[in-house]
Amino acid sequence: MKLLVVGGGGREHAIIQKLKENPSVETIYALPGNGGIARDAECHPIKATDIPAIVDFAKTRKVDFAVVAPDDPLVLGAADALEAEGIPVFGPKKNAAIIEGSKVFSKELMGKYHIPTAEYQVFTQLDAALEYVRTAPLPAVVKADGLALGKGVIIAQTREEAEAAVRSMMEDKVFGESGSRVVIEEFLTGPEVSVLSFTDGETVVPMVSSMDHKRALDGDKGPNTGGMGTVAPNPYYTDEIAQVCMDTIFLPTIRAMKAEGREFRGCLYFGLMLTPKGPKVIEYNCRFGDPETQVVLPLLDTDLLTIMQATQAGRLRELDIRWKKASACCVVLASDGYPKKYQTGYPITLPPTGENDKIYIAGAKLDGETLLTGGGRVLGAVSVRPTLREAIDAAYALADGIHFENAYCRRDIGQRALAARKED
Ligand code: AMP
Ligand code: GLY
C-alpha cells in the first residue's frame, strides 16, 4: 500500500513509524515531513495547508490511504477534498473539524448537550467584552474563537491583563480573524488529562491517557509552548474517572456531533480538567496531540493502519484495540529561547537507540547526511518501560545522549505524575 501523511512534526514522525509496522505498507509519503522523517518516509516540500497540491500529489502517486494530522488542513477541508477524489482519509471532514476550529462552536455544542465545561460568555463586540471583564470573576480565561497555533488562550489574573487580552485579540487582531470573536470563561482548577480517542462517529475508543507539560520552564513556569514533554498513562486518570468521562463527555460528544449532522471520524482529543466538581472539558482538538502522540502510540499494541482504516470505514466496533501495560515518557529537546527567539542550523548527533527507545524528530533539516536543527521544538526523546519512574529515567538518559548546540529541555517532565502515583 501507498500511504500519505500530511504534516511534518514529531507527532507525524511517531505516526509514520507506527504505520510502518504494518507489512503491507510499501511507501509512505510525507507532506512536507522533515529531515528526520526523511529517514522513514519519502518527503516532498508541499505545505500541509496547500490542499490543491496535496490532492494533486495523492492522485498522481495513486495513494491508497491518507492521514491528515495537523489541525489547520483539517479545518480547511483537506479530508473532504481527498475523499472527493476517492482517496480514503483518516481525519474528520471540515464540518466536524470545527469542534477545534471554533471555540464558540464547541462551547455551544457542550451547552446544548449538557457536556460539563467551564461557564462562558461569547463576545463579538469589543466594548461589550471590555465591559464584561470590568466585573468578571478573576482569574478570567480569554480565548480567541479560531485556531491560533495553541497560543489563543490567556489566563488573566488582573482586570488590566484581562482588558489587554481582549484588546490584543479583538482590536489589534494578534491572531487575525481568529480573534474577531472571543470566549471569556470561568477559571477551573484541578489536574489536566489529555485523552485521545479513535472514533468513527458511532463508537469511541479512548487511547491511553497522558499528561502534557505546556510551560517552557521547570515547575510549570514561563510562557506556554506547544508542549515540552509528556507521560502516559496519566496517574490522575483512574478507571473510575475514565468511566465518568465515557458517560458524561466522550459518548455525549460523539452523539452530539452526529445529531448535528457533523459525524466525527478520526482522532478526537479531549483536553480535560479533573475539577472538584468532576471532569470538565477544557478543549477539543480534531486530531492527535503533539507531544501526546509520541507517548501514546508507542504503547499501542494493535496495528495502527488497521485501526485507521476501520475508523474511516465506520467499522471501529469490530476491533479489539490493545495497549501495553507499561509507561512512556517523552522529553522534548528544544532550541534555547523557544517559544520566543532562538537560533537554528546546528548539527544534531543522535545515539543508537534500543527497541524501547525512540527519537521523534520535530524540527530538523537534512544537509547531505547531516541533520541540522530547524525549529523551536527539535525532537522528542521517548522511552517505554514497565514503570513510570523507569520510563522517566530512561527518557532523560536518552535525551542526555543527544547533542546539538543550544539544546534545552525541562528537567522535571513526569515529576508531578510520579508524585500522584500511589504505587511504583
Ligand atoms: P488550550 O490552548 O485550549 O490548550 O489552553 C491552554 C491551557 O490553558 C490549558 O491547557 C489549560 O491549562 C489552560 N486553560 C484553558 N481553559 C482554562 C480554564 N477554563 N480554566 C483554567 N485553565 C484553563
Ligand atoms: N499538546 C497539546 C496539543 O496538541 O494541542
Side-chain angles (χ1 to χ4, degrees), residues 333-338 341-350 363 370-379 399 401-409:
L333 289 191
S335 305
D336 194 22
Y338 171 75
K341 267 185 74 168
Y342 53 83
Q343 306 284 326
T344 59
Y346 300 116
I348 307 171
T349 7
L350 301 176
T370 311
L371 207 51
L372 303 177
T373 64
R377 288 188 298 173
V378 174
L379 56 85
I402 299 169
H403 298 286
F404 58 89
E405 214 171 305
N406 85 343
Y408 167 75
C409 67

Side-chain angles (χ1 to χ4, degrees), residues 100-298:
E100 174 170 5
S102 167
K103 292 212 165 35
V104 174
F105 171 85
S106 71
K107 295 300 286 192
E108 285 175 352
L109 184 85
M110 289 186 272
K112 181 168 172 188
Y113 293 90
H114 311 291
I115 297 166
T117 187
E119 296 293 331
Y120 72 101
Q121 305 265 350
V122 178
F123 295 94
T124 48
Q125 301 295 330
L126 175 68
D127 289 348
L130 290 174
E131 164 108 32
Y132 178 75
V133 295
R134 261 173 227 132
T135 54
L138 292 173
V141 183
V142 184
K143 300 186 171 184
D145 176 43
L147 297 181
L149 298 168
K151 296 186 187 119
V153 175
I154 295 177
I155 298 177
Q157 304 291 342
T158 64
R159 300 217 179 276
E160 292 69 35
E161 278 173 31
E163 187 182 321
V166 166
R167 283 192 189 280
S168 72
M169 290 178 195
M170 300 187 87
E171 199 169 48
D172 308 337
K173 300 256 187 233
V174 292
F175 305 118
E177 281 313 302
S178 286
S180 52
R181 290 197 291 182
V182 299
V183 172
I184 304 182
E185 67 178 34
E186 171 199 12
F187 179 75
L188 300 176
T189 55
E192 283 186 56
V193 182
S194 306
V195 180
L196 285 58
S197 69
F198 295 109
T199 176
D200 60 5
E202 264 322 310
T203 303
V204 56
V205 182
M207 302 185 213
V208 166
S209 62
S210 53
M211 182 192 286
D212 194 3
H213 298 67
K214 286 196 169 131
R215 301 292 204 95
L217 307 175
D218 283 11
D220 293 325
K221 302 220 161 52
N224 250 321
T225 70
M228 293 299 295
T230 34
V231 292
N234 183 326
Y236 287 105
Y237 191 73
T238 60
D239 290 348
E240 197 190 341
I241 291 173
Q243 190 61 53
V244 173
C245 291
M246 181 55 99
D247 296 340
T248 64
I249 296 174
F250 305 159
L251 283 171
T253 302
I254 300 306
R255 290 180 185 143
M257 289 297 278
K258 188 154 187 198
E260 294 291 312
R262 297 173 182 274
E263 191 177 66
F264 190 106
R265 291 192 180 184
C267 172
L268 182 54
Y269 167 131
F270 299 89
L272 307 172
M273 195 168 269
L274 308 181
T275 77
K277 292 191 189 151
K280 296 194 180 188
V281 176
I282 289 279
E283 62 163 348
Y284 293 114
N285 292 326
C286 65
R287 51 166 175 92
F288 284 96
D290 189 339
E292 285 90 342
T293 306
Q294 290 90 315
V295 285
V296 169
L297 288 187

